[in-house]
Amino acid sequence: MIDVEVVYAAVDRQCLLTVAVPPGTTVRAAVLASGMGREFPELDLAGCPVGIFGKQIAEPETRVLQAGDRIEMYRPLLADPKEIRRQRAAKAAEAKRLSQQ
């Protein structure tokens, strides 16, 4: 057996679970076996995006784990960061224009 960590951070709390899995276990299989669904029943464990040490995994159904891997489960963004920056820049430009009048 190898030990891996599975982590998830909701808006109001976070959870880190250590899971012992057999060698050859995939990322998605470890997520499903982690028990994270009991902690966060609203999570779609079979479809949520995941990564290992901050790097998103494109195919978690085929990526095999190594001992000590830290699987991170990602929640959807509430807003696009690029759009938020655009809005902030536009607001600052408007404020500057109004202050120069």
Side-chain angles (χ1 to χ4, degrees), residues 9-63:
V11 175
D12 59 340
R13 65 189 175 108
Q14 59 189 3
C15 183
L16 182 147
L17 301 172
T18 300
V19 182
V21 295
T25 299
T26 65
V27 172
R28 187 65 69 195
V31 166
L32 293 170
S34 70
M36 195 64 76
R38 288 188 297 276
E39 296 292 324
F40 300 94
E42 70 278 7
L43 271 177
D44 173 19
L45 298 180
C48 69
V50 295
I52 296 178
F53 291 114
K55 185 174 180 181
Q56 189 166 355
I57 302 298
E59 299 198 16
E61 289 76 16
T62 59
R63 168 65 159 75

Side-chain angles (χ1 to χ4, degrees), residues 1-5 18-26 64-69:
M1 298 295 270
I2 59 172
D3 286 336
V4 297
E5 292 180 334
T18 300
V19 182
V21 295
T25 299
T26 65
V64 175
L65 291 167
Q66 298 176 7
D69 278 349

